[in-house]
Amino acid sequence: MWQQVEVQLPAMHRGFHLITGQVEAALSKMSPVSIGLLHVQLLHTSASLTINENADPSVRRDMEKHFSHMVPEDLPYYEHIYEGSDDMPAHIKASMLGSSLTIPIRDRQLCLGIWQGIYLGEHRDHGGARRIVLTLQGE
Amino acid sequence: MWQQVEVQLPAMHRGFHLITGQVEAALSKMSPVSIGLLHVQLLHTSASLTINENADPSVRRDMEKHFSHMVPEDLPYYEHIYEGSDDMPAHIKASMLGSSLTIPIRDRQLCLGIWQGIYLGEHRDHGGARRIVLTLQGE
Amino acid sequence: MWQQVEVQLPAMHRGFHLITGQVEAALSKMSPVSIGLLHVQLLHTSASLTINENADPSVRRDMEKHFSHMVPEDLPYYEHIYEGSDDMPAHIKASMLGSSLTIPIRDRQLCLGIWQGIYLGEHRDHGGARRIVLTLQGE
C-alpha cells in the first residue's frame, strides 16, 4: 500500500526549525501502517532536511552559526552571485545536509530516538513557503 | 513489484555533473509505477550523489571550489596519502555528500522540484567510469 | 514483506568504526529477500552513519581528524555548551553525515561496491552504546 501527499510549510526565517509536528500531523491523516518507511522529499535546492536534537533551541542556533561559518557568504571565488549573497551558500548547505529523509515507522509512529526531531534548514534569508512530498509504504 | 538495474556512467572530470537524464533514461526502461520510490546507490567511495540546482553551471563550479576549500589536499595530518593528493579529500567529500539517493515517483516520473537535478560529484582527478544501482518499487 | 529489528552496538571510542559485519549479522537473521532495500536508522543525535572505504584504517582516522578540524570544539559562538566541549560539534557532525542509510539488497546480500563499508561515526568522547533500527523490505 502506497500513499503520497504534498504539504506546504509556512515561510520560516533563516536557520533550523523543528518540523516534527507538521510531519506527524500529515502522517496521522494517512492510513496507518504498523511497520514501514516514510520518505520525505523537500522540493527545493536552497533549504534542507536533517534529523537532530529536538529539545534545546540553542542547538539549532549553533547549527545555523557554524554552517554559516563553514560556508560563508561573498567568497571571492563564487561565480553564482546574481541571486544574492545568501544564495550560493544556501545551495552548498543544501547538499551538505541533504534534501530528503527516510524514517522508519513502528507501531504507526515515526521510529526515532527520544532526542531526535526533524529539522527544516532554511538557508535563504527570505526563502518563502517550502513544499515537501511524503511517501508512505508499509503494512 | 521490485526492479533493479545497474548502470555505468562514463568517466567524468573532477567536479559536479548533472546526471538526471541518465537516471531518467534508466527509469524509462523499467516497468512504470504511478507511486513509488527510486533508490540510487553509487558503488564507490570517492564520488557522491546529491540533489541540487539543475540550471546554472556556475552552481556546480562553485560547489567544486567550495568543497575543495573545505576539504583541502595535502593537509599535514592526512595519513592516507599513498593513492594521491586527491584521494583522502575525495573520501571525506563522499561522506559529506552521501553515496545514495531515494527519490519519490509520482505519475511515473521523478518527483523533484522544478529546480532540482541529480548530481554526480566526481572527487578524484581521474575517477574513471562510475557504477550506480537503481532499485525501483511502487504500484 | 516487512521486517524490523533493533540492534544495540557496543560503546565505541570517538572516531569512525566499521560496522558492516554487525549489520550483515542482523540481516542474516531476517528472512532473506532477493531484491529489496535495507534501511538503517541510528536513534541518536551525536553519532552518525555513513558509507566509506572498508579497507585501510587510516581513512577512518583521517576522517576523524578532518571532521574535528571542520567542526572544532569550544568555538566562541557556541551556546549549547553545558553537556561538554564535544557535544555541540557532535550534533553538527551528525547532520553533516546523516543518521540513516538505505542500502540495496541483491541476491540476499548488501549491494555495495567492493570498497564500501558501513561506518558508525561516534562523535562523543564517551557516547556509550548506540542503537540502530533495521527495516527490511523486498521479495
Side-chain angles (χ1 to χ4, degrees):
Chain A
M1 187 184 54
W2 288 87
Q3 301 174 75
Q4 198 168 63
V5 64
E6 185 168 324
V7 173
Q8 181 164 307
L9 301 172
M12 302 182 201
H13 61 79
R14 177 168 158 172
F16 291 84
H17 305 269
L18 267 177
I19 61 164
T20 317
Q22 286 100 316
V23 172
E24 287 174 336
L27 181 64
S28 72
K29 291 175 189 156
M30 300 166 100
S31 296
V33 299
S34 55
I35 303 183
L37 291 171
L38 177 68
H39 181 268
V40 188
Q41 178 71 48
L42 180 68
L43 299 180
H44 307 270
T45 62
S46 55
S48 62
L49 296 175
T50 189
I51 289 176
N52 218 304
E53 207 258 25
N54 61 11
D56 187 341
S58 67
V59 172
R60 302 193 287 280
R61 291 194 297 268
D62 287 357
M63 281 186 56
E64 169 59 22
K65 283 178 278 185
H66 194 59
F67 274 93
S68 291
H69 175 80
M70 287 189 287
V71 191
E73 299 187 353
D74 302 320
L75 287 174
Y77 49 75
Y78 288 154
E79 297 173 62
H80 185 80
I81 56 177
Y82 55 86
E83 292 182 59
S85 293
D86 59 323
D87 183 61
M88 192 57 224
H91 289 304
I92 295 170
K93 293 171 189 171
S95 278
M96 290 173 73
L97 288 153
S99 66
S100 77
L101 294 171
T102 307
I103 301 171
I105 302 292
R106 183 163 61 182
D107 299 334
R108 301 177 169 217
Q109 311 280 332
L110 298 179
C111 174
L112 290 174
I114 192 164
W115 298 108
Q116 287 183 311
I118 303 169
Y119 285 15
L120 176 83
E122 174 54 75
H123 306 307
R124 298 299 309 262
D125 291 338
H126 305 285
R130 300 294 195 174
R131 292 179 301 131
I132 54 176
V133 171
L134 281 69
T135 305
L136 176 66
Q137 192 210 9
E139 69 179 16
Chain B
M1 187 183 55
W2 288 87
Q3 300 174 75
Q4 197 168 62
V5 64
E6 186 168 324
V7 173
Q8 180 164 308
L9 301 172
M12 301 183 200
H13 62 77
R14 179 168 158 173
F16 291 85
H17 304 271
L18 266 178
I19 61 163
T20 317
Q22 285 100 316
V23 172
E24 287 174 336
L27 181 65
S28 72
K29 291 176 189 157
M30 300 166 99
S31 296
V33 299
S34 56
I35 304 184
L37 290 172
L38 176 69
H39 181 269
V40 188
Q41 178 71 48
L42 179 68
L43 299 181
H44 307 270
T45 62
S46 55
S48 62
L49 295 174
T50 190
I51 288 175
N52 218 305
E53 206 258 27
N54 60 12
D56 186 341
S58 67
V59 172
R60 302 194 287 281
R61 289 194 296 267
D62 286 358
M63 281 186 55
E64 169 59 24
K65 284 178 275 183
H66 194 59
F67 274 93
S68 292
H69 175 81
M70 287 189 287
V71 191
E73 299 188 354
D74 301 320
L75 287 173
Y77 50 75
Y78 289 153
E79 297 174 61
H80 185 81
I81 56 177
Y82 55 87
E83 292 182 58
S85 292
D86 58 323
D87 183 60
M88 192 57 224
H91 289 303
I92 295 170
K93 292 170 188 171
S95 278
M96 290 173 76
L97 289 153
S99 64
S100 78
L101 295 171
T102 307
I103 302 171
I105 302 291
R106 183 163 60 182
D107 299 333
R108 301 178 169 213
Q109 311 280 334
L110 298 179
C111 174
L112 290 173
I114 191 163
W115 298 107
Q116 288 183 311
I118 304 171
Y119 285 15
L120 177 82
E122 174 55 73
H123 306 306
R124 297 301 307 265
D125 291 338
H126 305 285
R130 301 294 196 173
R131 290 179 302 132
I132 54 176
V133 171
L134 282 70
T135 305
L136 176 66
Q137 194 210 6
E139 69 179 16
Chain C
M1 187 183 54
W2 288 87
Q3 300 174 75
Q4 197 168 63
V5 64
E6 185 168 324
V7 173
Q8 180 163 309
L9 301 172
M12 300 181 201
H13 61 78
R14 177 166 159 174
F16 290 84
H17 304 271
L18 266 178
I19 61 163
T20 317
Q22 286 101 316
V23 172
E24 287 175 334
L27 180 65
S28 71
K29 291 176 187 154
M30 300 166 100
S31 297
V33 299
S34 56
I35 303 183
L37 291 171
L38 177 69
H39 181 269
V40 188
Q41 177 72 47
L42 179 68
L43 299 180
H44 306 271
T45 62
S46 56
S48 61
L49 295 174
T50 189
I51 288 175
N52 218 305
E53 206 258 27
N54 61 12
D56 187 340
S58 67
V59 172
R60 303 193 286 282
R61 290 194 297 268
D62 286 357
M63 282 186 55
E64 169 60 23
K65 283 177 278 183
H66 194 59
F67 275 93
S68 292
H69 175 80
M70 287 188 287
V71 191
E73 300 189 353
D74 302 320
L75 287 174
Y77 50 74
Y78 288 153
E79 297 174 62
H80 185 79
I81 55 176
Y82 56 86
E83 292 183 59
S85 293
D86 59 324
D87 184 59
M88 192 57 223
H91 289 304
I92 294 170
K93 292 171 190 170
S95 278
M96 290 174 73
L97 288 153
S99 66
S100 78
L101 294 171
T102 306
I103 301 171
I105 302 291
R106 183 163 61 182
D107 298 332
R108 301 177 168 212
Q109 310 280 334
L110 299 178
C111 174
L112 289 173
I114 191 164
W115 298 107
Q116 287 184 311
I118 304 170
Y119 285 15
L120 176 83
E122 174 55 74
H123 306 306
R124 297 300 309 262
D125 292 337
H126 305 284
R130 300 294 195 174
R131 291 179 301 129
I132 54 176
V133 171
L134 281 69
T135 305
L136 176 66
Q137 194 211 6
E139 70 179 16

